[in-house]
Structures are given as structure tokens and as C-alpha cells.
Amino acid sequence: AAGDTEMDFLRNLFSSTLGLGSADKVLDELTLEGVARYIQSGKCKNIICMVGAGISTSAGIPDFRSPGTGLYANLQKYNLPYPEAIFQIDYFKKHPEPFFALAKELYPGQFKPTVCHYFMKLLKDKGLLRRCYSQNIDTLERVAGLEGDDLIEAHGTFYTSHCVSFCCRKEYNLDWMKVKIFSDDIPRCDKCSSLVKPDIVFFGENLPVRFFTSMKMDFPRCDLLIVMGTSLQVQPFAGLVSRVSKSCPRLLINMEKAGQADPLFGLMGFGGGMDFDSDKAYRDVAHISTCDDGCLALADLLGWKAELEELVKQEHARIDSQDKKEKASESKGAAAKASSASAAPEPKKEE
């Protein structure tokens, strides 16, 4: 069995990196139902999820590019030279104020994971999730129960922060950064007074090393790729869809079709992009809906819908209860401080 697994890995590796191997049709139908039957067949054991901002919009976090409602469409108040400047490392070092004002609005801990996040947790619990590759920085995958080894946070995370000085690089945790942001202080290093930046990847910075090392091992082994809530416009993340074997089915759950192959590239012999509609389509499925509705529909076909809905209900109740306890504790602390201050004796005046 171990030998068969290694042979499958080598076949997938050659297929994805050298363009070799047969393009076997694995799905009996290019629909969500076909994907569900494949998962139920027992042949699907290494699912990779690729997710973007669209999986968090139902939590109240805006995506980047939606006209009118997207993040980039609503940054006028920050007087930026262009919307993307708020995530440009050179601009940040000179003008950190807009980023930290935005961070206060979108800070982790103010939002609850969505149905989509908990669907991935269900895949993990059932032993089917190999990895989740996320473009998101909101940490909701972690809140939903995915742990460090389950996750590749391709564009970084708010979970940790570091001093931007190459000579220092002191690390700070989420709670330290939260105190700074919510007190409207620009976070500066206790050690060298340089700026401290959350470990999210800005334009002009490299992606985490783990992104590159993990993808080389994960994608050749993948036997189902589920892409959710991403426009597949940002490289190198978007290019991951081409790293699975030619036989690996790919399911897109999104509000519009994304990641489709450029016809010109196809004529030149470059494959890899999604093909939903041509006569040659054999493995790509587009389910056009919100990410939550798509996950509920797939869970229903798999017989997991009630389990997923119960998981969401229980976890949201737990988060609400935890929030109430924290707020009550903060109120008690503030009341105790106020009481202590009012009870303090006035200093005697010198005669």
C-alpha cells in the first residue's frame, strides 16, 4: 500500500511539473453531484482548499474587488494616492496611519467564522483535508478550528507581528497589537522604536517560505481541489490551480467563474487554467453561488448538512458566550479601577 501511494505521488509529480501523464476523467459528471459522488467513493483522501476573501464576506468582512462594496472601493477617506497603496510596504513605512485605521475596522476577534470555514473544519474532522491555502488575513480559519499544520496563510496573518527593522525583528503577539490598535497608537517596538507590522504580506514583500515548500509536496498528492471565494487574480497564489495532476478534479464555488485558461495560452500549449465550458472540459466544475450556500449544498449531497449546521450553531454560541464573559470581566476591571480612584485619599496640602 505504501508503494502504491509513492507511485501515485510520483505520477502526480511528473504530471503537474512536466505536463506528462494521462488526463483521466475522474468525475462521472461535471456537477456538484458528481463531486459529491467522488468524495463518497472513498478514492478522495487528500482535499486541498484554496480560499480567498469571498469566504469571509458573510461574516461582515468586505472582499477587495467587488464594485461598490469591496475594500478598494471604500478607501477614499484615507486620502491614498491609489487604493493598493494601503498595502504597499514602502508607503506603509512612510505613512502607517491609514493601514492601522483600517486594521481597527477589520481587526480579528470582531467577526465569527462562516459556514464555509466550518465546512473545511468538517473536512478536517473526517480526515479528508490535506491543507487549506488561504489568501485571508482575518484568522477565521484558526477560530473555526484549523490549526497551524492545517493552514498555509499565503498572504500572512494578524496572528503575530514583528518589528520592521532588519536588525531587530522582535516578535509581538495578537493581544499586544490589539491594545496598540484600539488605543489608536502607532505600534512601535519596545526594543528599538521602529514600526511594528502584523505578519501580513504587503505588496513588495515575499510570501512565507512555508508557502513554497508546502505546495511542492501537497499539490502533487491532491486528489480534489476546492477553490472558494477568490478571483484567482493575484500571483503566485492563483497559479496553484495548475499544480495538481491533470486528472485531479477542481471545484470552484464562487459568485462568478474565475481562473479560466487564456485561449491564446491554450493554443500555445500552456495548460493549467480552469476549463468549465469547452468541449474538452473533463474535470473542472463551477458552482456559482455564495461560498456558504455552495458548502451547504455540497454538505447536503454528502449527507453532512445537519452536522454542519449543528457545528455552526454550537461554535457561534460558544464564541458569543466567550465574548460576554470577556466583556463582563472588562467591565468589572474598569469599575474596580474607577472605585479605587474615587476611594483614594487626597494628598495633604503642605502648610
Side-chain angles (χ1 to χ4, degrees):
D4 289 344
T5 302
E6 291 306 315
M7 283 304 296
D8 287 342
F9 170 69
L10 289 172
R11 284 192 198 99
N12 288 349
L13 181 65
F14 281 118
S15 174
S16 60
T17 57
L18 302 179
L20 302 175
S22 60
D24 297 327
K25 186 173 180 180
V26 173
L27 300 179
D28 60 24
E29 187 178 55
L30 296 181
T31 61
L32 201 63
E33 288 80 2
V35 172
R37 285 192 291 272
Y38 173 53
I39 294 172
Q40 289 172 321
S41 73
K43 296 175 183 176
C44 178
K45 297 173 182 174
N46 287 289
I47 297 175
I48 291 178
C49 293
M50 286 173 58
V51 300
I55 75 165
S56 295
T57 51
S58 64
I61 302 172
D63 65 9
F64 288 87
R65 292 178 174 80
S66 290
T69 60
L71 192 63
Y72 287 153
N74 291 282
L75 293 175
Q76 299 92 337
K77 58 188 171 185
Y78 298 119
N79 298 316
L80 301 164
Y82 48 93
E84 292 84 356
I86 202 162
F87 295 117
Q88 289 276 6
I89 188 62
D90 291 338
Y91 185 84
F92 169 79
K93 286 178 178 178
K94 293 174 185 172
H95 308 285
E97 297 82 6
F99 170 78
F100 285 114
L102 178 65
K104 187 175 180 180
E105 287 184 45
L106 303 179
Y107 202 75
Q110 302 179 89
F111 306 95
K112 286 184 281 199
T114 66
V115 168
C116 186
H117 290 98
Y118 289 114
F119 178 75
M120 292 191 290
K121 174 63 164 59
L122 212 52
L123 288 176
K124 175 191 171 177
D125 292 345
K126 293 180 181 296
L128 297 173
L129 181 71
R130 180 167 188 86
R131 209 91 66 196
C132 169
Y133 282 71
S134 177
Q135 291 177 288
N136 298 334
I137 58 174
D138 53 37
T139 75
L140 289 181
E141 295 92 355
R142 290 177 183 265
V143 178
L146 298 189
E147 297 170 304
D149 192 50
D150 306 317
L151 268 174
I152 303 294
E153 290 158 319
H155 293 172
T157 178
F158 265 101
Y159 202 64
T160 54
S161 301
H162 281 85
C163 172
V164 300
S165 168
F166 289 113
C167 302
C168 180
R169 299 297 294 159
K170 183 176 176 181
E171 182 173 311
Y172 294 88
N173 64 26
L174 191 66
D175 290 336
W176 182 92
M177 180 58 75
K178 182 178 181 179
V179 169
K180 295 291 183 184
I181 287 176
F182 281 87
S183 59
D184 296 320
D185 288 340
I186 299 301
R188 295 201 172 272
C189 180
D190 301 336
K191 188 176 175 184
C192 73
S193 298
S194 297
L195 282 170
V196 176
K197 182 181 82 65
D199 291 340
I200 64 173
V201 179
F202 278 29
F203 296 116
E205 292 187 303
N206 294 323
L207 268 63
V209 171
R210 189 164 167 259
F211 170 84
F212 297 101
T213 55
S214 296
M215 74 179 187
K216 290 175 184 175
M217 291 300 294
D218 286 344
F219 280 80
R221 294 179 186 269
C222 177
D223 47 31
L224 174 62
L225 181 65
I226 302 179
V227 183
M228 299 185 281
T230 171
S231 61
L232 291 175
Q233 290 184 19
V234 178
Q235 297 291 354
F237 187 88
L240 293 177
V241 298
S242 66
R243 289 191 161 266
V244 295
S245 73
K246 285 189 173 182
S247 301
C248 179
R250 301 181 295 192
L251 167 65
L252 174 74
I253 300 176
N254 206 36
M255 292 298 286
E256 58 186 16
K257 291 176 182 177
Q260 289 166 284
D262 188 314
L264 179 61
F265 278 16
L267 290 172
M268 294 169 66
F270 296 106
M274 303 283 225
D275 178 8
F276 304 113
D277 303 313
S278 84
D279 294 338
K280 295 180 181 178
Y282 68 97
R283 60 161 170 170
D284 293 332
V285 177
H287 184 80
I288 306 303
S289 75
T290 66
C291 295
D292 287 352
D293 287 346
C295 286
L296 280 169
L298 181 54
D300 194 19
L301 292 167
L302 291 165
W304 303 350
K305 188 177 181 183
E307 189 178 355
L308 176 58
E309 288 177 331
E310 183 60 25
L311 178 62
V312 174
K313 183 180 174 183
Q314 285 182 354
E315 286 298 300
H316 280 189
R318 181 186 64 79
I319 291 168
D320 287 340
S321 173
Q322 190 175 317
D323 285 347
K324 281 180 183 175
K325 285 179 184 175
E326 286 177 4
K327 283 174 183 172
S329 177
E330 286 171 8
S331 296
K332 281 182 183 177
K337 274 187 183 179
S339 174
S340 173
S342 62
E346 291 185 14
K348 291 182 180 178
K349 292 181 183 178
E350 291 184 12
E351 291 181 3

